């Protein structure tokens, strides 16, 4: 019984092994395209089932033999076989270069030969080809009216896009670069003027980091332009004042102040200064005059010139005389224009000369008693006897 069991086991294993060896090798991973950045490592997958006694071979698209089994055939130590599992025969390419991109073929030496192609795509970050070796910015010198070409040659896979920006030649507080609505490797500036100078920056990108940039400074030569903050200024005699003008030019050459047809030189009372406030191609020319006298009043000229031309502006310095204090005016009395009511004068009472007045008693015979009213008016209050006597006396005189 035991011998029969052993025989059946041996027979079953024999049949199973025959079935296994009878199976054809197959690729168990579908076709996959591989994308890798230049300089990185690429792994091209190839997994085989039921390989048996067959061998795996890798070739390139030109049928160049790269590997046979686990052995490297080509004379390139960057290439090898990666076998994380028994069935894996992956092609390994270290430090991938642009020339490595293309089609690779995994083959099994069956009859007929079985093949599996794998496409290798290599990405290349953008690169600027015409930048200075030391990394410094390029410079372009031009004259007004000329055409300027700012070039930014780039390469990369896929082809990078190039965008342009501009900022002032000399950075000032709060200055920012502005986007120019142009794209491409060449920026053309037609009929360039002094207002076109600046630092032009090209930025190349293709979604493969990092993006790269390059700066080119454009200098535009032009004749001077003189401007004055004030064209008339006043000051008292004996005081001090400063005349100021602004000169924009490239290149800066000759700049000075003139008075009465003569260039002003520094002295004890006169001092000329030149200074910059950080604005490109612009200087300030000042003239300080101390202890001003009559001879200092008049027209001053700010003059500037270079090889392209000249410019001048004039300003007047005149005497300031403080206004005199006005004399105090007499107050004016304005009479009212409305009419006022007149008080009624009391009637005069006749007094006989023969009657002597008793100084000790007030006379009440003919004198009326006047009493004021609340409204300011007056009225006459007489004794009836006195009134009768007056009427009799008047009648006597008439007769």
């Amino acid at each position: 019984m035991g011998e029969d069991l052993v025989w059946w086991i041996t027979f079953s294993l024999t049949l199973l092994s025959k079935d296994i060896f009878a199976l054809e090798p197959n690729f168990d991973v579908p076709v996959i395209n591989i994308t890798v950045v230049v300089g990185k490592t690429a792994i091209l997958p190839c997994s085989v089932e039921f390989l048996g006694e067959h061998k795996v071979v890798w070739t390139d698209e030109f049928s160049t033999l790269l590997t046979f089994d686990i052995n490297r055939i080509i004379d390139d130590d960057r290439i090898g076989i990666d076998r994380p599992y028994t069935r894996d025969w992956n092609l390994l390419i270290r430090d991938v270069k642009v020339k490595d991109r293309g089609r690779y073929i995994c083959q099994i030496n069956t009859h007929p030969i079985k093949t599996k192609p794998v496409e290798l795509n290599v990405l290349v970050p953008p690169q600027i080809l015409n930048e200075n070796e030391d990394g410094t910015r390029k410079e372009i010198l031009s004259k007004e009216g000329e055409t300027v070409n700012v070039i930014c040659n780039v390469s990369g896979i896929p082809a990078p896009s190039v965008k342009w920006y501009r900022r002032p030649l000399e950075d000032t507080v709060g200055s920012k670069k502005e986007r120019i609505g142009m794209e491409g490797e060449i920026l053309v500036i037609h009929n360039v003027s002094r207002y076109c100078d600046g630092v032009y920056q090209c930025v190349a990108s293709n979604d493969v980091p990092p993006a790269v940039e390059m700066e080119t400074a454009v200098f535009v030569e032009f004749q001077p332009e003189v401007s004055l903050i004030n064209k008339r200024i006043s000051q008292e005699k004996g005081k001090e004042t400063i005349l100021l003008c602004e000169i924009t030019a490239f290149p800066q050459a000759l700049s000075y102040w003139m008075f009465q047809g003569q260039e002003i030189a520094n002295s004890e009372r006169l001092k000329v200064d030149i200074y910059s406030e950080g604005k490109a191609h612009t200087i300030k020319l000042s003239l300080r005059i101390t202890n001003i006298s009559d001879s200092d009043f008049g027209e001053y000229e700010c003059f500037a010139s270079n090889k392209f031309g000249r410019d001048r502006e004039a300003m007047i310095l005149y005497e300031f005389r403080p206004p005199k204090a006005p004399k105090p005016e007499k107050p004016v009395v304005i009479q009212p224009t409305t009419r006022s009511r007149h008080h009624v004068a009391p009637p005069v009472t006749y007094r006989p000369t023969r009657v002597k007045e008793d100084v000790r008693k007030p006379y009440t015979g003919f004198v009326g008693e006047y009493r004021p009213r609340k409204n300011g008016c007056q009225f006459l209050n007489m004794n009836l006897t006195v009134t009768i006597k007056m009427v009799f006396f008047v009648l006597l005189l008439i007769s």
Side-chain angles (χ1 to χ4, degrees):
M1 184 67 180
E3 294 178 356
D4 293 339
L5 181 59
V6 172
W7 181 85
W8 278 107
I9 292 175
T10 304
F11 179 75
S12 299
L13 291 174
T14 303
L15 293 177
L16 181 61
S17 63
K18 289 182 178 180
D19 292 338
I20 293 175
F21 285 108
L23 294 175
E24 286 287 331
N26 289 309
F27 298 106
D28 66 345
V29 176
V31 175
I32 299 176
N33 293 332
I34 302 301
T35 301
V36 65
V37 178
V38 66
K40 303 298 183 178
T41 299
I43 299 178
L44 282 61
C46 182
S47 296
V48 182
E49 291 182 336
F50 314 118
L51 181 61
E53 298 297 328
H54 295 88
K55 302 297 181 182
V56 176
V57 175
W58 277 97
T59 65
D60 61 13
E61 58 186 339
F62 305 106
S63 299
T64 303
L65 187 60
L66 304 177
T67 65
F68 178 79
D69 198 30
I70 62 172
N71 301 311
R72 173 172 53 86
I73 305 301
I74 191 172
D75 187 18
D76 189 345
D77 57 4
R78 298 181 303 117
I79 294 178
I81 294 296
D82 180 40
R83 300 197 63 193
Y85 301 100
T86 304
R87 63 181 181 178
D88 292 334
W89 299 86
N90 302 330
L91 181 65
L92 182 69
I93 306 177
R94 301 179 183 88
D95 188 20
V96 172
K97 302 182 184 303
V98 177
K99 66 179 182 179
D100 296 329
R101 63 181 176 173
R103 175 172 293 186
Y104 293 83
I105 302 171
C106 181
Q107 303 179 8
I108 304 174
N109 62 345
T110 56
H111 185 75
I113 297 175
K114 293 185 176 182
T115 62
K116 174 189 175 181
V118 178
E119 194 77 25
L120 175 62
N121 300 314
V122 179
L123 301 180
V124 181
Q127 182 180 3
I128 297 177
L129 305 177
N130 64 322
E131 65 178 347
N132 292 334
E133 295 181 358
D134 57 358
T136 58
R137 71 184 186 185
K138 290 181 171 294
E139 293 185 355
I140 297 177
L141 184 63
S142 177
K143 299 178 183 178
E144 278 193 319
E146 295 182 343
T147 298
V148 175
N149 295 322
V150 187
I151 301 175
C152 185
N153 288 332
V154 299
S155 65
I157 302 174
S161 63
V162 179
K163 298 179 181 179
W164 290 93
Y165 299 85
R166 177 178 176 268
R167 61 179 176 83
L169 280 171
E170 298 182 13
D171 288 331
T172 57
V173 178
S175 65
K176 297 181 180 179
K177 66 180 181 180
E178 58 178 347
R179 170 75 187 279
I180 300 176
M182 298 291 293
E183 293 189 7
E185 297 185 19
I186 301 178
L187 176 66
V188 181
I189 308 175
H190 297 283
N191 193 24
V192 68
S193 70
R194 68 191 67 181
Y195 307 106
C196 298
D197 64 1
V199 178
Y200 291 83
Q201 182 186 67
C202 65
V203 179
S205 62
N206 64 349
D207 296 330
V208 182
V212 291
E213 60 186 42
M214 184 184 71
E215 291 185 344
T216 302
V218 177
F219 298 93
V220 181
E221 296 180 316
F222 58 94
Q223 71 178 40
E225 184 177 287
V226 178
S227 59
L228 297 173
I229 299 176
N230 295 307
K231 290 194 174 183
R232 290 178 59 86
I233 189 170
S234 63
Q235 186 57 281
E236 298 180 48
K237 285 191 279 187
K239 296 295 183 65
E240 175 183 311
T241 192
I242 296 178
L243 310 184
L244 191 64
C245 76
E246 184 177 87
I247 300 172
T248 304
F250 185 76
Q252 291 282 356
L254 192 62
S255 303
Y256 53 87
W257 282 96
M258 295 184 66
F259 181 65
Q260 296 180 350
Q262 299 294 325
E263 181 180 348
I264 298 176
N266 287 331
S267 63
E268 293 183 359
R269 294 194 315 108
L270 305 175
K271 185 178 180 181
V272 179
D273 283 325
I274 298 177
Y275 60 93
S276 175
E277 293 184 345
K279 191 177 178 181
H281 308 322
T282 302
I283 62 172
K284 293 290 182 67
L285 187 65
S286 66
L287 172 62
R288 183 187 296 270
I289 308 174
T290 59
N291 193 20
I292 296 176
S293 62
D294 287 329
S295 61
D296 296 321
F297 297 120
E299 184 181 75
Y300 290 80
E301 292 181 296
C302 181
F303 184 87
S305 67
N306 62 12
K307 62 181 179 180
F308 298 103
R310 62 183 63 188
D311 192 21
R312 59 172 290 276
E313 287 289 342
M315 68 181 305
I316 303 295
L317 174 63
Y318 62 95
E319 183 181 359
F320 174 75
R321 297 178 179 179
K324 296 180 180 180
K327 295 180 179 180
E329 298 181 357
K330 294 181 179 180
V332 178
V333 179
I334 301 176
Q335 297 293 338
T337 57
T338 57
R339 294 182 179 180
S340 58
R341 296 183 179 182
H342 296 281
H343 298 290
V344 178
V348 178
T349 304
Y350 173 75
R351 295 181 179 178
T353 57
R354 63 179 181 271
V355 179
K356 291 184 180 181
E357 183 176 355
D358 188 356
V359 296
R360 291 175 301 177
K361 296 182 180 180
Y363 181 78
T364 59
F366 281 48
V367 179
E369 182 182 0
Y370 305 99
R371 297 179 182 176
R373 274 183 161 181
K374 290 184 179 181
N375 59 3
C377 298
Q378 294 176 339
F379 64 94
L380 179 62
N381 183 20
M382 291 186 176
N383 189 285
L384 180 61
T385 304
V386 175
T387 303
I388 296 173
K389 289 182 179 180
M390 289 181 61
V391 172
F392 176 78
F393 182 72
V394 171
L395 292 176
L396 181 64
L397 289 177
I398 293 173
S399 61

